[in-house]
């Protein structure tokens, strides 16, 4: 099968290509692309039978790439590091996906299923997927945060917690990618998120309480987030924090 890999991270593209070469010899990678625009050109040039498509990319994301190709007869396997709403939508649409880091056995199974779907139109499935995502995006709140490079668009619910870094704020995400630095003070972030499920538990930390796993008692105590990271609670904030938790 002719395949194209689309992912904005070089490491991810290289790893997937090596995994395919070593474990799926009947898959021929015709091209690897680092953005949606390059993917559209490669699809038109190589007429792939299988597309490995990253979900979240700058510019055109994976779903927009499918929309732009008029959803041809190639099989699609989404790849993503984000186990969130997009994965749920993909599941419900009966399309296939792989979570990063990619497991070899899951890759083999996905390729086998792709071969069975070879030549079949995925138009209806993609239509269902796009409809679900559009409904979610209408409901999800997005935040534009300035960075040293420009703007970073985020869904508010993807933020685990915010950590003060002088005049900037380090934003820690559910995806467990490396935190990025927003050109906003923590106080400014607190104002932006004040009507959400966020609480200032410390002079240096603003936490999304939706992802709190447990609270450990202490002078101020500490919060263990759902990803295992620990966030301190200051003694001054402890009582207000406990009252907030009781109301949730």
């Amino acid at each position: 099968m002719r395949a194209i890999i689309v992912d904005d991270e070089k490491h991810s593209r290289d790893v997937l290509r090596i995994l395919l070469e070593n474990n799926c010899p009947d898959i021929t990678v015709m091209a690897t692309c680092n953005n949606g625009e390059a993917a559209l050109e490669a699809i038109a040039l190589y007429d792939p039978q299988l597309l490995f498509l990253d979900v979240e990319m700058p510019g055109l994301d994976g779903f927009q790439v499918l929309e732009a190709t008029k959803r041809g007869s190639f099989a699609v396997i989404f790849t993503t590091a984000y186990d969130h709403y997009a994965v749920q939508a993909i599941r419900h649409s009966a399309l296939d996906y792989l979570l990063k880091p990619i497991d070899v056995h899951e890759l083999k199974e996905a390729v086998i299923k792709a071969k069975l779907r070879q030549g079949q139109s995925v138009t209806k499935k993609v239509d269902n997927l796009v409809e679900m995502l559009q409904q979610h995006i209408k409901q999800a709140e997005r935040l534009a945060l300035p960075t040293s490079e420009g703007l970073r668009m985020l869904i508010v619910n993807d933020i685990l917690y915010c950590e003060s870094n002088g005049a900037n704020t380090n934003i820690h995400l559910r995806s467990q990618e490396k935190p990025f630095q927003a050109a906003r003070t923590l106080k400014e972030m607190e104002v932006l998120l004040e009507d959400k499920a966020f609480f200032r538990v410390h002079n240096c930390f603003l936490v999304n309480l939706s992802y709190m796993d447990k609270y450990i008692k202490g002078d101020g105590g500490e919060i263990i987030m759902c990803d295992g990271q620990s966030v301190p609670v200051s003694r001054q904030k402890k009582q207000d924090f406990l009252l907030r938790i009781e109301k949730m």
Side-chain angles (χ1 to χ4, degrees):
M1 294 179 73
R2 299 182 304 278
I4 292 175
I5 298 172
V6 186
D7 196 308
D8 66 326
E9 295 182 355
K10 183 179 186 302
H11 175 72
S12 296
R13 296 195 304 273
D14 291 343
V15 167
L16 179 52
R17 183 164 196 159
I18 291 170
L19 287 175
L20 288 168
E21 289 175 352
N22 292 338
N23 299 278
C24 306
D26 48 350
I27 300 296
T28 301
V29 178
M30 307 300 295
T32 61
C33 308
N34 63 359
N35 59 64
E37 290 80 3
L40 294 179
E41 294 178 5
I43 290 169
L45 179 62
Y46 294 108
D47 187 25
Q49 297 160 301
L50 175 59
L51 192 63
F52 290 93
L53 191 57
D54 191 16
V55 169
E56 301 200 18
M57 298 180 291
L60 294 179
D61 64 24
F63 308 118
Q64 292 170 320
V65 168
L66 284 185
E67 281 284 273
T69 60
K70 306 302 182 183
R71 302 180 293 278
S73 59
F74 49 77
V76 179
I77 299 176
F78 289 101
T79 59
T80 179
Y82 301 82
D83 190 7
H84 59 6
Y85 72 91
V87 169
Q88 299 301 322
I90 293 168
R91 285 174 180 155
H92 285 294
S93 302
L95 289 162
D96 216 346
Y97 69 95
L98 293 167
L99 282 177
K100 301 175 187 177
I102 293 173
D103 179 83
V104 172
H105 298 293
E106 293 178 356
L107 174 62
K108 289 180 179 179
E109 290 178 3
V111 168
I112 290 172
K113 286 188 281 186
K115 291 176 184 176
L116 295 175
R117 296 194 303 269
Q118 186 175 343
Q120 297 178 5
S121 173
V122 295
T123 299
K124 185 175 181 180
K125 292 180 180 179
V126 173
D127 283 340
N128 291 338
L129 171 62
V130 171
E131 182 179 353
M132 289 185 67
L133 290 170
Q134 288 174 340
Q135 289 174 354
H136 177 87
I137 289 171
K138 288 178 182 177
Q139 298 169 358
E141 296 183 70
R142 301 184 74 86
L143 195 63
L145 295 177
T147 70
S148 60
E149 299 176 345
L151 284 175
R152 175 74 181 262
M153 296 298 299
L154 285 180
I155 291 178
V156 170
N157 204 38
D158 285 343
I159 301 174
L160 271 179
Y161 65 92
C162 305
E163 181 181 5
S164 177
N165 185 5
N168 300 306
T169 299
N170 293 335
I171 309 296
H172 296 256
L173 302 173
R174 293 174 59 194
S175 62
Q176 297 185 349
E177 68 174 272
K178 183 179 179 181
F180 77 92
Q181 186 170 276
R184 287 278 186 268
T185 65
L186 192 62
K187 179 60 179 177
E188 290 173 322
M189 292 300 302
E190 185 179 11
V191 172
L192 286 171
L193 300 169
E194 63 183 353
D195 59 340
K196 314 298 185 298
F198 286 78
F199 188 82
R200 183 83 171 263
V201 297
H202 190 282
N203 284 341
C204 295
F205 292 95
L206 177 68
V207 169
N208 187 341
L209 298 177
S210 300
Y211 299 122
M212 186 182 82
D213 183 41
K214 58 185 175 181
Y215 168 70
I216 299 175
K217 294 180 180 179
D219 187 26
E222 64 178 317
I223 296 170
I224 306 300
M225 304 301 292
C226 61
D227 65 346
Q229 295 189 63
S230 173
V231 177
V233 178
S234 71
R235 183 172 54 186
Q236 294 79 9
K237 297 284 187 178
K238 179 178 179 179
Q239 192 58 40
D240 289 340
F241 163 69
L242 294 176
L243 288 173
R244 174 69 179 273
I245 293 299
E246 289 178 4
K247 294 179 181 179
M248 289 183 65

